[in-house]
């Protein structure tokens, strides 16, 4: 009788030792395989692994919230992958800073895009509503890089960055550098003010929509406006709830600045992607 409790205690010790041995074995197996299976925390919910989402650049559809007309769309300082935020450009602008055909992905169904470049002065935007000017007339600065993206190699005899027919123009960009980021900001603000009057036009005339501002960093920003055909302008301003058909963007990155005209009929989401790409490239 006196031995019964001792016998029962012996079984408890054996069971405890077995449990410890099992835990040690599991830990050893975890060290070997790199996997530990732990019980779920009470109330926890499963989430996709952060690494399962492909890293995207500023032009990706999922890079940020959709652009809101008339509003600012800030971009987080760092991406989900932990990459550093973009920094403003320094030094001179080169053709490497200009928008590439790859920005117009196959889903846009544009086809092959031809690129032509030149350096100098010239008309920088379709400012028919305010009177067309050259970049030098507006800013009084030196020459700039002009790039035309077209569906045909046939260019205007007056400017190789303009398609012979307007239907052949996909986009056109002009970009240059200044002596300082503050001067680039000044230039970009002046260029944007040149286009703002086009947001109000008589009914039946094409019109720009509200200004959307993208901010990838304090000195890496873009402001763009969608273009609406005259048939949609019934009140003197862009219609609410309608998608644009291309548009114009003023870009700034460090001491670089530029203007991008998109002639291709892109909606809000597509314009946002292309403008982000141009801004990241600048």
């Amino acid at each position: 009788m006196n031995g019964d409790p001792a016998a029962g205690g012996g079984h408890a010790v054996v069971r405890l030792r077995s449990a410890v041995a099992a835990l040690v074995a599991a830990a050893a197996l975890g060290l070997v395989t790199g996997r530990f299976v732990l019980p779920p925390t009470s109330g926890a919910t499963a989430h996709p692994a952060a690494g399962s989402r492909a890293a995207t650049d500023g032009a990706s559809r999922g890079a940020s919230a959709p652009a809101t007309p008339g509003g600012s769309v800030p971009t987080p300082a760092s991406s989900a992958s932990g990459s550093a935020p973009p920094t403003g450009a320094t030094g001179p602008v080169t053709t490497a800073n200009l928008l590439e055909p790859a920005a117009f992905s196959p889903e846009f169904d544009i086809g092959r895009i031809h690129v032509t470049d030149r350096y100098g002065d010239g008309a920088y935007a379709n400012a028919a509503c305010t009177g067309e000017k050259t970049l030098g007339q507006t800013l009084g600065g030196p020459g700039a890089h002009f790039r035309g993206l077209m569906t045909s190699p046939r260019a205007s005899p007056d400017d190789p960055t303009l398609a012979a027919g307007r239907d052949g123009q996909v986009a056109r960009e002009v970009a240059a550098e200044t002596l300082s980021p503050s001067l680039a900001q000044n230039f970009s603000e002046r260029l944007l003010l040149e286009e703002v009057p086009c947001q109000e036009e008589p009914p039946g005339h094409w019109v720009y929509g509200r200004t959307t501002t993208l901010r990838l960093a304090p000195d890496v920003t873009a402001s763009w406006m969608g273009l609406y055909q005259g048939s949609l302008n019934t009140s003197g301003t862009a219609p609410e709830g309608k998608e644009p058909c291309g548009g114009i963007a003023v870009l700034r990155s460090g001491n670089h600045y530029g203007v991008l005209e998109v002639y291709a009929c892109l909606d809000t989401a597509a314009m946002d992607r292309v403008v982000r790409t141009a801004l990241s490239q600048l």
Side-chain angles (χ1 to χ4, degrees):
M1 292 292 294
N2 293 336
D4 290 340
H11 287 304
V13 171
V14 170
R15 285 196 295 271
L16 177 61
R17 288 177 179 174
S18 299
V20 171
L23 287 174
V24 172
L29 179 61
L31 290 175
V32 173
T33 64
R35 297 177 61 188
F36 293 88
V37 180
L38 300 178
T41 304
S42 175
T45 56
H47 294 278
S52 67
R53 291 180 293 182
T56 58
D57 59 22
S60 165
R61 184 181 299 274
S64 73
T68 303
S72 176
V73 185
T75 298
S78 59
S79 68
S81 62
S83 61
T87 56
T90 59
V93 169
T94 70
T95 54
N97 298 117
L98 302 179
L99 190 67
E100 296 286 348
F104 298 89
S105 60
E107 69 188 76
F108 296 158
D109 196 26
I110 293 175
R112 183 180 179 185
I113 297 177
H114 302 265
V115 175
T116 57
D117 293 312
R118 72 174 180 84
Y119 183 86
D121 193 15
Y124 62 89
N126 181 8
C129 57
T130 58
E132 191 173 71
K133 297 180 181 179
T134 68
L135 197 65
Q137 288 172 332
T138 300
L139 303 176
H145 289 270
F146 286 74
R147 167 163 290 183
L149 296 96
M150 304 171 286
T151 57
S152 170
R154 294 181 59 249
S156 166
D158 300 324
D159 188 335
T161 64
L162 290 172
R166 194 182 189 284
D167 291 342
Q169 197 82 35
V170 176
R172 186 167 180 259
E173 184 178 15
V174 54
E177 73 278 351
T178 64
L179 297 177
S180 67
S182 60
L183 188 56
Q185 179 179 2
N186 176 276
F187 280 9
S188 63
E189 289 173 351
R190 289 164 61 184
L191 290 169
L192 182 61
L193 287 174
E194 286 286 318
E195 308 303 324
V196 168
C198 301
Q199 292 177 322
E200 295 184 5
E201 284 297 312
H205 191 284
W206 67 265
V207 65
Y208 284 142
R210 296 178 180 178
T211 304
T212 296
T213 299
L214 306 178
R215 188 178 303 277
L216 304 188
D219 61 345
V220 183
T221 64
S223 296
W224 69 269
M225 298 175 285
L227 185 146
Y228 294 81
Q229 303 297 335
S231 58
L232 295 177
N233 176 13
T234 60
S235 62
T237 59
E240 295 291 342
K242 298 291 185 179
E243 288 294 333
C245 185
I248 190 170
V250 177
L251 317 169
R252 177 176 70 92
S253 176
N255 72 321
H256 293 183
Y257 67 94
V259 177
L260 172 67
E261 292 179 273
V262 177
Y263 293 77
C265 196
L266 305 187
D267 61 14
T268 300
M271 276 293 296
D272 182 80
R273 292 167 58 187
V274 170
V275 171
R276 286 177 183 274
T277 301
L279 182 58
S280 299
Q281 194 76 21
L282 186 65

